[in-house]
Amino acid sequence: MADVYNWQLGRDMAYRFGERDTQRQFAAVFNINRCIACQTCTMACKSTWTFSPGQEVMWWNNVESKPYGGYPRHWDVKVLGLQAERDPGGQKWDAAQADGTRAPYGRFDGKTIFETADQRAEVATGYLPEEAEWKAPNIFEDAATGWSARGTQLPEHSGWFFYLARICNHCSYPACVAACPRNAIYKRPEDGIVLVDQERCRGYRKCVAACPYKKAIYRPTTGTTEKCIACYPRVEGTDPLTNGQPMETRCMTACVGKIRLQGLVDVDTDGQWLRSPENPLYFLVHEEQVALPLYPQFGTQPNIYYIPPRWVPRAYLRQMFGPGVDRAIERYTHPSRELLAVLQLFRAAQAILFSFKIERGDKVAEIRVAGRQQDIYNDVAIGYGADGQEIVRVSVEEPFFERPGKLNSI
Ligand code: SF4
Ligand code: SF4
């Protein structure tokens, strides 16, 4: 085991490999305040990558209802339970240790899945889901109360729930990579995308057990593991559809709720994001700190970030996203001018936006939000592509068009 710096935990941690040479990292922000569980993202992924025999229960993208939905069933409850068992009373944060971008959420004093692992048998604390747990995702998840048709009693909703859209996190310290005895899984230095080499994979399923997010999935017809490939031909700009420009993945671009913004961030030699406040993802994660990693305490430094839902009990959200939750919700509820403008860029274009600028506009409204006065300005967010070319411009206020007197020729 080597020591690596995990900025989401605000400390060094043990990992099988030392710092890797990742120059850029695939990342995304999901604003789950807006997710409606339409599953368009899920079907966009399925119809592109996992429609073949042996992939019937394989969902690289899934959307589950929280608090008790999950694919595979109860994945997070199980991993959290194992962690609590092996680190009794230890899974705690010290938010007072927060320190800029080096430790934005403070310091996690508990042990990660790598640090609680029984080193004789595994590199990360985990479990192998049973076959049945991968089947029937979403079934009965939105039932508020009562008995399911299968005779299982479900826990009761207590007046709140939300939808958690999930893909592989293309983690900076992937448990799947660390667990593979054949080194068949690798992280690409050019974009941090994590891939399984199908020639090397022997289907031992060590990655399936180790991935705390359960996003490495076994395919019985090939006897190998498969996982989200981050639509890498689109991200590279080599897919014919992209016209040579880096383009967001299928699940991102299909999102009906406009909850997703995906991109690439530059990474420093110590694994931290290079300061680039003009990159929309860096801006949301580090400048505004409005988007947070999912279960950062697992220790894999996941790269999908979430704007937490405002209406959910804070204790639940703090367990899920760490101690940055209160600040993130406060900033989302009362957004700065810049944040309000950047939020308009979600799903405004298919090309990856590498930077943005804001053109200031007139004040157009005074509103009250959660008891506080807020001025709204019609600023314009402009998104730029890989070569600095303008891709899109969106205003805060919805544009107003007046119909001409003569509508059409009919
Ligand atoms: S989410 Fe799981 S499968 Fe994806 S990179 Fe992280 S550990 Fe690997
Ligand atoms: S397409 Fe967007 S809104 Fe619909 S389920 Fe997926 S993430 Fe949610």
Side-chain angles (χ1 to χ4, degrees):
M1 286 277 190
D3 266 352
V4 292
Y5 189 71
N6 183 324
W7 63 262
Q8 293 177 354
L9 305 182
R11 66 169 173 85
D12 286 334
M13 67 160 206
Y15 183 64
R16 181 178 164 200
F17 304 108
E19 298 292 355
R20 291 274 173 110
D21 182 26
T22 305
Q23 293 118 35
R24 265 186 178 163
Q25 178 60 55
F26 171 96
V29 170
F30 290 3
N31 179 3
I32 49 174
N33 288 273
R34 300 179 59 132
C35 180
I36 52 174
C38 62
Q39 305 283 2
T40 313
C41 49
T42 307
M43 296 317 296
C45 177
K46 186 111 200 112
S47 59
T48 308
W49 300 114
T50 62
F51 53 81
S52 301
Q55 296 177 310
E56 291 82 1
V57 298
M58 186 182 283
W59 302 93
W60 292 353
N61 182 107
N62 78 293
V63 183
E64 54 205 45
S65 305
K66 289 299 181 196
Y68 62 80
Y71 165 78
R73 211 169 300 152
H74 309 315
W75 64 275
D76 50 355
V77 177
K78 288 188 169 184
V79 178
L80 291 167
L82 285 170
Q83 281 298 88
E85 241 171 60
R86 294 183 177 192
D87 184 22
Q91 297 281 293
K92 299 225 168 73
W93 291 85
D94 182 359
Q97 303 274 339
D99 175 18
T101 55
R102 234 187 123 62
Y105 320 125
R107 184 187 156 89
F108 180 61
D109 287 329
K111 292 182 179 160
T112 67
I113 57 167
F114 304 112
E115 293 161 339
T116 53
D118 175 356
Q119 298 296 335
R120 292 161 303 181
E122 58 190 7
V123 299
T125 291
Y127 74 100
L128 198 57
E130 287 174 16
E131 217 173 296
E133 295 171 41
W134 297 100
K135 292 183 177 161
N138 297 123
I139 298 291
F140 304 117
E141 279 188 8
D142 279 5
T145 179
W147 293 79
S148 79
R150 291 178 181 179
T152 315
Q153 189 166 25
L154 299 173
E156 198 174 318
H157 279 307
S158 54
W160 61 271
F161 69 102
F162 64 98
Y163 297 119
L164 185 72
R166 300 204 302 120
I167 62 169
C168 163
N169 290 284
H170 297 279
C171 306
S172 300
Y173 304 116
C176 56
V177 172
C180 180
R182 286 193 46 85
N183 292 331
I185 314 184
Y186 59 103
K187 187 168 175 66
R188 304 203 311 183
E190 64 268 36
D191 51 23
I193 291 174
V194 175
L195 297 174
V196 183
D197 180 338
Q198 293 294 308
E199 299 294 317
R200 290 197 61 79
C201 179
R202 291 288 178 272
Y204 299 150
R205 284 177 265 191
K206 297 286 182 191
C207 54
V208 183
C211 170
Y213 302 96
K214 297 298 165 231
K215 280 297 177 189
I217 307 167
Y218 182 68
R219 180 174 177 182
T221 50
T222 56
T224 57
T225 293
E226 295 180 0
K227 62 176 287 304
C228 161
I229 59 169
C231 295
Y232 67 81
R234 290 169 68 96
V235 173
E236 289 169 350
T238 50
D239 183 304
L241 271 177
T242 63
N243 289 325
Q245 290 301 316
M247 191 182 260
E248 294 191 26
T249 65
R250 289 276 288 132
C251 61
M252 310 281 174
T253 53
C255 177
V256 169
K258 298 188 172 189
I259 83 153
R260 298 173 175 223
L261 186 71
Q262 179 237 307
L264 294 161
V265 289
D266 293 329
V267 178
D268 213 341
T269 44
D270 65 354
Q272 292 201 77
W273 289 11
L274 268 176
R275 187 165 189 277
S276 49
E278 69 290 346
N279 181 308
L281 295 180
Y282 185 96
F283 175 81
L284 293 163
V285 172
H286 276 312
E287 294 288 307
E288 290 284 338
Q289 299 186 348
V290 73
L292 304 168
L294 177 64
Y295 295 120
Q297 65 269 40
F298 292 163
T300 64
Q301 203 170 283
N303 287 298
I304 306 298
Y305 293 81
Y306 292 83
I307 302 181
R310 299 178 315 284
W311 58 89
V312 172
R314 295 296 169 92
Y316 186 89
L317 291 178
R318 284 187 208 110
Q319 184 184 44
M320 186 169 257
F321 300 113
V325 158
D326 299 283
R327 177 174 52 205
I329 291 183
E330 166 62 21
R331 293 197 173 164
Y332 183 65
T333 308
H334 303 287
S336 65
R337 274 180 81 162
E338 292 75 20
L339 175 56
L340 195 57
V342 169
L343 288 171
Q344 313 306 317
L345 291 173
F346 281 63
R347 299 283 32 85
Q350 295 212 23
I352 290 180
L353 302 179
F354 286 78
S355 62
F356 72 92
K357 276 192 190 141
I358 295 171
E359 267 178 21
R360 296 206 152 211
D362 296 334
K363 183 167 150 183
V364 287
E366 284 176 10
I367 58 172
R368 280 193 81 72
V369 182
R372 204 194 293 174
Q373 170 94 10
Q374 178 125 14
D375 295 337
I376 304 293
Y377 295 87
N378 191 22
D379 296 335
V380 176
I382 309 163
Y384 300 92
D387 305 325
Q389 75 282 26
E390 182 177 322
I391 301 280
V392 69
R393 47 176 67 212
V394 225
S395 57
V396 166
E397 199 175 39
E398 194 84 13
F400 182 83
F401 298 103
E402 201 168 330
R403 280 183 179 179
K406 185 170 163 46
L407 287 179
N408 53 40
S409 58
I410 301 169

